[in-house]
Amino acid sequence: MLRELALALVLLSQVPVPPALQQQAPKGSIEGVVRSITGEPLDRARVTLQRILPPPTGPTTGPVTPPPQIPPVQTEKDGEFSFKDLDPGQYRLRVQRNGYSAQEYGQRTPATPGTVINLTEGQQMKDTDFRLVAAAVVTGRVRDANGEPVPSFQVSLMRTTYNVTGQRSLTVVGNANTDDRGEYRIFWAPPG
């Protein structure tokens, strides 16, 4: 009888546990609020979260599978956003809204990337707030030497940037073509 009981226990220990009964690791979340620089909550801001997969550790034999897409969320009148049921890993969080400069979590200047979020198992990351700066608008008029409007002339808004060796260069941050009156309008220019 004991022998049969021991055999039954050995056989039961080899039966796989159904996935529904296995204990799953707790999921994480990222929550916050999108506001203007003056502190007002911003509605209709699009918040995107992108999972970053670590680079492969060894030779790869097939195509690399892209990380799963996380649907973006849009803020309501309270400016709040929330991503739930997140697996542990690295993420990038970005906010954009019409009339404001896009911003990444932890971004210090418009020309630099933001900070990677390292979400641990079950971590509830709250108060991930953004303060968006209104984008600039640059307008003007182009005329020739006789004072006549110049149509279809391309105007570029440029920013001075420096590479790692300190060498200065210009980077285009906005373009516009003049209309039939020689007028142009470059909108949503980042601050700087």
Side-chain angles (χ1 to χ4, degrees), residues 9-128:
L9 286 174
V10 168
L11 289 175
L12 281 176
S13 69
Q14 295 178 358
V15 175
V17 178
L21 297 177
Q22 291 178 1
Q23 178 142 1
Q24 293 189 355
K27 301 284 187 168
S29 67
I30 299 174
E31 302 172 20
V33 179
V34 179
R35 300 179 190 278
S36 69
I37 198 74
T38 60
E40 299 172 44
L42 290 176
D43 62 340
R44 298 185 321 273
R46 180 182 167 99
V47 186
T48 55
L49 184 67
Q50 180 185 9
R51 176 92 189 263
I52 303 169
L53 290 181
T57 58
T60 56
T61 56
V64 177
T65 306
Q69 293 292 319
I70 301 168
V73 296
Q74 184 169 312
T75 60
E76 298 292 330
K77 290 187 184 222
D78 59 5
E80 294 180 1
F81 65 91
S82 176
F83 292 95
K84 298 195 181 287
D85 297 324
L86 299 174
D87 291 322
Q90 294 185 325
Y91 294 88
R92 283 200 180 276
L93 185 63
R94 181 178 173 83
V95 177
Q96 54 192 90
R97 186 185 188 282
N98 288 349
Y100 291 83
S101 290
Q103 185 180 354
E104 220 175 86
Y105 174 77
Q107 188 173 19
R108 300 274 185 234
T109 66
T112 59
T115 304
V116 172
I117 297 171
N118 290 305
L119 195 67
T120 60
E121 187 176 287
Q123 180 181 0
Q124 308 298 309
M125 192 170 167
K126 299 181 186 231
D127 302 326
T128 312

Side-chain angles (χ1 to χ4, degrees), residues 115-189:
T115 304
V116 172
I117 297 171
N118 290 305
L119 195 67
T120 60
E121 187 176 287
Q123 180 181 0
Q124 308 298 309
M125 192 170 167
K126 299 181 186 231
D127 302 326
T128 312
D129 296 349
F130 285 88
R131 294 279 180 143
L132 297 186
V133 176
V137 175
V138 178
T139 62
R141 188 174 287 132
V142 178
R143 304 217 179 251
D144 65 14
N146 297 323
E148 295 292 319
V150 180
S152 301
F153 186 82
Q154 185 173 14
V155 178
S156 296
L157 180 64
M158 305 180 92
R159 168 191 311 248
T160 301
T161 57
Y162 296 89
N163 65 16
V164 292
T165 63
Q167 187 177 19
R168 189 176 89 161
S169 64
L170 294 173
T171 304
V172 175
V173 294
N175 285 313
N177 287 327
T178 57
D179 61 15
D180 61 326
R181 298 170 295 191
E183 296 176 354
Y184 65 89
R185 184 174 191 270
I186 300 172
F187 55 93
W188 296 347

